[in-house]
């Protein structure tokens, strides 16, 4: 009986960790067009309250480039995902050229990403070429930052919705193993 209780407690802890601190960004998304120099909004569902006080000041980063070569462009500001707030207004700097970008919200332990979207800057058209990504002030190395908890984190990591699904799959397998172990112990 003690083993079953221990396994159940471990499964509950694992479930809490998997669901903690990740928001689902729903704006901007594919087809969204933001204009540099004016207020645009980031929208999301969920919250990151378990980040504690850090949840009231979560960094929002603008990136460009394909997933295998993402480049940091600018820090757009911060958002508060600690409670029921689900939107914040941010302004893209006028130094960012027209092109295709994505946003990373630095939630912990997992970062939250947007899909690629378009930024229009009439004073800085897209660079010559295929026009698929802007240049802004991009570099391959984002500013040195430390995620809550003191671990280094790369805010320019490839945007992917796979992280949440991976955790959900691991959780399902883990909970299934815990349930089977509990049944066998009876």
């Amino acid at each position: 009986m003690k083993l079953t209780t221990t396994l159940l407690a471990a499964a509950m802890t694992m479930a809490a960790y998997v669901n903690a601190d990740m928001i689902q960004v729903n704006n901007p998304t594919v087809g969204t067009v933001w204009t540099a120099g004016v207020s645009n909004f980031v929208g999301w569902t969920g919250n990151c309250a378990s980040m504690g006080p850090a949840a009231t000041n979560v960094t929002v980063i603008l990136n460009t480039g394909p997933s295998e070569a993402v480049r940091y462009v600018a820090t757009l500001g911060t958002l508060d995902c600690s409670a029921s707030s689900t939107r914040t207004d941010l302004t893209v700097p006028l130094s960012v050229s027209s092109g295709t970008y994505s946003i990373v919200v630095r939630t912990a332990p997992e970062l939250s990403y947007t899909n690629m979207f378009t930024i229009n800057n009439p004073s800085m058209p897209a660079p010559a070429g295929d026009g698929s990504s802007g240049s802004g002030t991009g570099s391959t190395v984002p500013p040195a930052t430390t995620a809550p908890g003191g671990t280094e984190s790369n805010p320019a990591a490839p945007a992917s919705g796979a992280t949440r699904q991976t955790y959900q799959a691991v959780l399902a397998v883990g909970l299934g193993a815990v349930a089977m172990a509990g049944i066998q112990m009876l």
Side-chain angles (χ1 to χ4, degrees):
M1 185 66 168
K2 270 185 161 179
L3 180 60
T4 302
T5 304
T6 302
L7 291 174
L8 182 58
M12 290 173 61
T13 300
M14 200 164 85
Y17 176 78
V18 168
N19 290 319
D21 302 329
M22 185 136 173
I23 61 174
Q24 295 294 311
V25 182
N26 54 29
N27 192 67
T29 189
V30 175
T32 300
V33 178
W34 279 11
T35 302
V38 301
S39 183
N40 301 280
F41 83 92
V42 174
W44 65 91
T45 58
N47 71 59
C48 55
S50 63
M51 286 175 59
T56 63
N57 195 32
V58 180
T59 303
V60 180
I61 294 172
L62 184 66
N63 291 323
T64 190
S67 62
E68 64 277 359
V70 175
R71 293 181 333 200
Y72 168 86
V73 175
T75 298
L76 297 179
T78 62
L79 58 79
D80 179 351
C81 57
S82 64
S84 61
S85 179
T86 58
R87 110 176 235 153
T88 195
D89 293 319
L90 300 169
T91 301
V92 175
L94 289 171
S95 60
V96 174
S97 64
S98 297
T100 305
Y101 296 87
S102 65
I103 287 177
V104 177
V105 179
R106 299 210 40 170
T107 49
E110 293 298 317
L111 303 176
S112 301
Y113 299 93
T114 68
N115 290 311
M116 300 299 282
F117 67 100
T118 301
I119 292 177
N120 180 34
N121 185 344
S123 63
M124 290 190 71
D130 66 2
S132 63
S133 65
S135 61
T137 57
S139 72
T140 56
V141 181
T145 54
T146 303
T151 58
E152 284 295 319
S153 178
N154 181 0
S160 169
T163 303
R164 187 174 198 79
Q165 288 84 4
T166 301
Y167 282 132
Q168 289 171 340
V170 168
L171 176 62
V173 170
L175 290 177
V178 168
M180 291 303 289
I183 291 170
Q184 289 177 354
M185 296 303 294
L186 296 176

